Every structure is written in structure tokens, then in C-alpha cells.
Amino acid sequence: MTTLHMVNKSPFERNAMKSCLAHALEGDGVILFEDGVYGAVKGSAVTGDIQGKAGAVKVYVLGPDLAARGIADGRLIEGIKVVDYPGFVDLVTSHERTQSWL
Amino acid sequence: MSVAKKFLYVNRKAPYGTIYALESLEVVLIGAAFDQNVSLAFLDDGVFQLAKGQDTKGLGVKNFSPTFRALGDYGVTKLYVEKESLAERGLTEDDLMPVTYEDENDGFAEKPSLIFVDRAELARVMRDQDVVLSF
Amino acid sequence: MAYTVNGTTVEHDEEGYLTDLNEWNEDIALEIAKAQNLEMNEERWEVVNFLRNYYDEYQVAPAIRVLTKALAKTMGPEKGNNKYLYELFPYGPAKQACMIAGLPKPTGCV
């Protein structure tokens, strides 16, 4: 009974990603897209929030949103998986429910 | 015959700075007509929606906080409030307005609708839903 | 668009709901009822006053099933049912009675 959590706001502007990670349970997925992808970059003030959940929660990031913002895959936090749009849809269907963090 | 699904409305925004809180409440009222199992969660800035003593006369916008007290009439009797979100904002349970419902199955006894839960409990409540709607 | 009552005009929307609920008074209620081809009697006033009190307390007009339940509780089952309310307000009790009560159109209800 897992949830796909969806975060589309920058973690530097809002607490959506932080609150999401604090409520995600073992086996849940988190997809970062739109401005949410800034949370996927290593070496930032919020990197630790994601690393703290490594293992329990699987984190995904939407590739086209990374590319649009000039973020190369090499700058991502270890363990984060890049997905394309069909991959995003697959994630939605492979979890029991979705929950947006606005 | 369809089985009633569990719907959770997640409220994470303060009441008057954006339209989210009012929109959420309106959707809850409309959705309540469909006889589903509806509950609400208040976390992060969403807890401010339940603050006591709201008065919007000076703003010229509607104070919709009394409407939370009508939810019991609509069969919505579970409003989960996250304790950590209150504490982070310097609030206690006493800073929130009382919200109650009349239990038809118990001689219309008045019972509290607010359920104070910690973060871990709320995470489990969220995972227990069929549908989670975010505002 | 406006109702004219005792020489003053009160704005309403295209369906007939008052633009400003603070402008409501009993004479205006009579005028709205007339526009709806309804004659106000004790039973209709009872429902209209109930709606006004409910709105005053909760800032929302009750949905029809909430209205019937509440009326059944306060005035008895012979008044708290759909048939009774539709006889009083044939075009939808919550909708038509709310209009006469000067309240906004109820959210998602008849």
C-alpha cells in the first residue's frame, strides 16, 4: 500500500519537500519535478533531507525538468533515479495512491 | 453498489494569504454530498486555519473558520491536527477553536472532531486512504 | 438587475440571488418570493429563518440533506423531509429558500 509523493516546488522557497520526506513511509516513492528538481542536486542545504531517507524511500526526478534548468545528471544526489514522462506515468500506476505536496 | 472510499483532504496553507484553504473547504462541502468516508488533515501552515478568534472584517473577505464547525452536519467528523506543526508555530491545542459534531448513533451527544496526532501517526493516516487531495 | 422594494432598488445576479446579503430585509424577501411565484406563509418563513440562522452561525448555506436533517431534529420528521420542503419550494428548497433568505447560492446543491 505505497504512496507516490509528488513535489513540484523548490525546497529553497517552501517546505513541501521537507514535509513530504518527513511523512513518507518505508517503501514510498517521491518524484521531484518542475522546480522540485532543485532538491535533487547534491551539496545543497537540503541534500541531507533526502540522504536521511535513503534506503527507506525511493527518490525520482523528472529528466526534462532537469535539462531545462541546466542540471547535469552528474550533480544529482547518489541513488536518485532520473525518469522521463512515460516513466513518471509508470510510477503513478505502480503505487496505490498519489499525494501532492503543493 | 459502490463501496465508500476513504478520502483525505490535506491542508498545508494558512487561511487568507492564498485561496487554497477556502477552495479546500468548498470541495469538502461539495464532496460530502457523495457519501464517501471523508476526513481532513491539518499540518504545516494548515494548522493556522483552525486558529481561534479569526476576524476578517478589516479585510473585507469572508471569515470561513465558522464553517469548519458545520462539517459535522455533513458527516465529516475527523479533523486530524499534527502536533509537531502546532509546536513549531508556538501553538497549543488551546489556541485552536473547538470543533465538535453530534453523534446521531449516540443520542446526538456532542463529541470533539479535532484529533491531535503526531507526525508518525499522521503519516499512517495518509497511507490508510484511497484518495488524498492536497491543498 | 435589481429588485425594487418600497422605492429602493436592491441588486441581484442573473439568477435572482442578492449581490449583498447585508441588504436583505423581510420586505425584500417578500419581493424575491413574488418573483419566484411563491407566497410567503408561516411554513416558508420558518425555513427561510432557519437558513438565515444557519448561515449566521456557520457562514455557509446548508446542503439539502443537511437542511432536512437539521429541520427533522428541531421541528420534527413531518417537516424535516424532502417532500415537505419541495412542496414549499418546488424549484429546490435549498436553492429557492436560500434566494428568498438573501443568501448566496448554496455550494453544489439543489
Side-chain angles (χ1 to χ4, degrees):
Chain A
M1 290 297 283
T2 57
T3 301
L4 178 67
H5 300 271
M6 309 201 291
V7 177
N8 71 336
K9 298 296 187 299
S10 164
F12 307 105
E13 190 206 347
R14 300 188 197 204
N15 73 341
M17 187 181 90
K18 194 181 181 68
S19 191
C20 164
L21 291 168
H23 293 88
L25 295 174
E26 175 100 36
D28 283 354
V30 174
I31 171 98
L32 306 174
F33 65 109
E34 296 172 5
D35 283 348
V37 303
Y38 290 116
V41 177
K42 66 184 166 196
S44 85
V46 300
T47 300
D49 295 343
I50 286 188
Q51 286 168 337
K53 279 284 187 172
V57 171
K58 187 87 190 111
V59 181
Y60 306 87
V61 61
L62 189 62
D65 280 325
L66 285 175
R69 290 162 179 78
I71 304 168
D73 287 3
R75 292 171 58 201
L76 300 181
I77 297 165
E78 200 112 335
I80 292 186
K81 191 177 173 215
V82 180
V83 296
D84 55 11
Y85 286 109
F88 194 161
V89 175
D90 289 342
L91 287 173
V92 170
T93 58
S94 63
H95 292 77
E96 270 84 3
R97 75 190 68 70
T98 58
Q99 180 168 354
S100 295
W101 295 80
L102 305 170
Chain B
M1 281 292 286
S2 61
V3 177
K5 285 192 172 184
K6 297 185 81 166
F7 284 73
L8 180 71
Y9 291 78
V10 174
N11 298 286
R12 296 183 49 249
K13 310 264 190 227
Y16 302 107
T18 65
I19 197 72
Y20 284 92
L22 177 58
E23 290 283 314
S24 173
L25 189 52
E26 296 214 324
V27 177
V28 170
L29 294 175
I30 295 168
F34 293 95
D35 260 337
Q36 304 289 338
N37 185 342
V38 173
S39 52
L40 275 56
F42 296 86
L43 63 152
D44 297 330
D45 280 357
V47 298
F48 288 130
Q49 293 179 31
L50 298 172
K52 259 182 197 164
Q54 297 176 42
D55 179 354
T56 60
K57 281 195 228 38
L59 291 186
V61 301
K62 183 160 131 178
N63 172 9
F64 53 86
S65 65
T67 307
F68 289 113
R69 292 190 288 105
L71 288 175
D73 294 344
Y74 287 76
V76 179
T77 60
K78 290 200 276 286
L79 278 60
Y80 296 98
V81 182
E82 189 179 86
K83 292 176 184 171
E84 287 88 340
S85 296
L86 288 177
E88 285 162 8
R89 287 159 184 77
L91 298 172
T92 68
E93 298 180 11
D94 292 337
D95 293 313
L96 304 189
M97 58 186 185
V99 182
T100 59
Y101 71 99
E102 293 177 340
D103 190 345
E104 284 175 60
N105 302 318
D106 191 6
F108 292 102
E110 194 160 298
K111 299 183 176 178
S113 298
L114 300 187
I115 305 167
F116 295 93
V117 292
D118 64 29
R119 193 159 278 160
E121 288 173 278
L122 187 61
R124 286 194 294 273
V125 168
M126 289 168 169
R127 193 186 255 202
D128 188 38
Q129 306 297 318
D130 292 301
V131 180
V132 177
L133 296 152
S134 305
F135 291 90
Chain C
M1 285 170 285
Y3 298 108
T4 305
V5 185
N6 304 330
T8 61
T9 56
V10 184
E11 292 287 318
H12 64 74
D13 69 8
E14 55 194 15
E15 290 178 87
Y17 292 92
L18 290 193
T19 311
D20 179 1
L21 67 102
N22 295 312
E23 291 185 316
W24 185 91
N25 60 44
E26 295 194 352
D27 289 335
I28 290 166
L30 291 171
E31 188 62 29
I32 302 172
K34 206 167 81 184
Q36 294 287 312
N37 291 316
L38 291 174
E39 198 172 319
M40 290 306 284
N41 56 23
E42 201 183 317
E43 287 77 21
R44 292 197 174 100
W45 275 119
E46 204 169 49
V47 176
V48 165
N49 287 329
F50 180 90
L51 286 171
R52 287 193 60 82
N53 289 336
Y54 195 93
Y55 192 90
D56 195 46
E57 168 126 17
Y58 299 119
Q59 297 298 302
V60 68
I64 178 69
R65 95 189 156 104
V66 172
L67 175 64
T68 51
K69 223 159 63 175
L71 285 174
K73 196 184 152 218
T74 54
M75 296 173 191
E78 66 281 359
K79 291 189 175 178
N81 65 73
N82 275 328
K83 185 171 175 290
Y84 173 78
L85 288 168
Y86 270 94
E87 275 165 10
L88 292 179
F89 303 99
Y91 287 97
K95 199 167 167 178
Q96 223 170 9
C98 280
M99 192 186 285
I100 295 168
L103 305 183
K105 188 176 179 175
T107 307
C109 80
V110 284

